[in-house]
Amino acid sequence: PNARRPPPLSRSLLKARRGLVVGARAPELALDGTGGTYFLAGLDGKPAGCFKPSDEETFCVNNPRLFVGAQRKLRRGVRPGEAHAREVAAYLLDARSGGVAGVPATTLAASRHAKYAYADRRVVEKLGSFQCYVPHDGVAEDFSASTFDAARLQAIAALDVRCLNSDRNAANLLVPSRRGPGGIRLVPIDHGFCLPEVLSIEWFDWCWIDWPALAAPVDETVKARILELDANADAAMLRESLGLRPRCLRLFTAATRLLQKGVAAGLTLRDVAELVIRPEHAPSDESTSPGRLATAVSRAVELADLALAEGSSRGARPHFARAFPPAAAPIAFAP
């Protein structure tokens, strides 16, 4: 968020500002979803971007669909009011690896409008995520999986594994209106349930897991991008720019390293994914049947805690990484 904005994002923000301020274009609430997602149009009436206020997420006080509840309740391992930061995080991670997954440009933004949801009716500025709108002809579930570009699909799957995205369904993979030759290069959106602090992903949370492209050898370009990843540097970036907690970053780092080691060993992305998800026929009790990655992380934490306790008993002083507060400067736009 502190880096220089890409031109498409700057243009979309400008169009949205003009639509709100000059053209009096009111935000339009999306029909689907469990939180507040608003389409912001430009002067021409065409959508310029999508704004997701943090206080309108599921279980938050201003949720427009009345999904209001305990603020501390976890949904898919993400706390209410923090999904907007995950939207930005997914874009930043993809951008740092060359944009191979095609996540639309996203940033933190602030906006104020009477059409947003306000439980107390006080119209104040809201912080949220702003993402460039992508014109599309449909979503992945409207097309055959055989028509999708295999390399793009593998890149999306790799991003989902890294981020431990627990909400990758065929409705949040867009089929763009502008398509070149070859297979359809899907555009992934809706990353609010990435980077959880609790790992519990089922096989059905990743719509692509049974698609043929994921059982094929990893594309050489995608493989090269995966092997170039620096999990520690990416985790530091997410901590410093978005203030993500250590528990979330610990899982992210473990997932990234698992992905790298699996691909380097010749595994397909489906093979790697099966190391992350819970067993298909596992009991509903998550504590008795976690996935292999969750088991490994849990064991590593136990060993680290044991080592720390032993060191403390011997008089050793533990050293902890300094926590960084969120440093992102949101972009403000209001009528």
Side-chain angles (χ1 to χ4, degrees), residues 199-201 274-279 282-283 285-296 298:
L199 177 53
S200 179
I201 297 178
E274 288 178 345
L275 296 174
V276 177
I277 61 175
R278 297 181 65 234
D285 183 3
E286 297 178 6
S287 63
T288 61
S289 56
R292 295 184 184 181
L293 177 61
T295 300
S298 178

Side-chain angles (χ1 to χ4, degrees), residues 148-165:
F148 304 146
D149 180 84
R152 170 58 67 85
L153 190 53
Q154 290 181 354
I156 292 172
L159 179 65
D160 286 342
V161 171
R162 290 187 69 200
C163 296
L164 298 171
N165 184 5

Side-chain angles (χ1 to χ4, degrees), residues 292-307:
R292 295 184 184 181
L293 177 61
T295 300
V297 171
S298 178
R299 181 57 178 157
V301 171
E302 291 176 3
L303 292 173
D305 289 342
L306 179 60

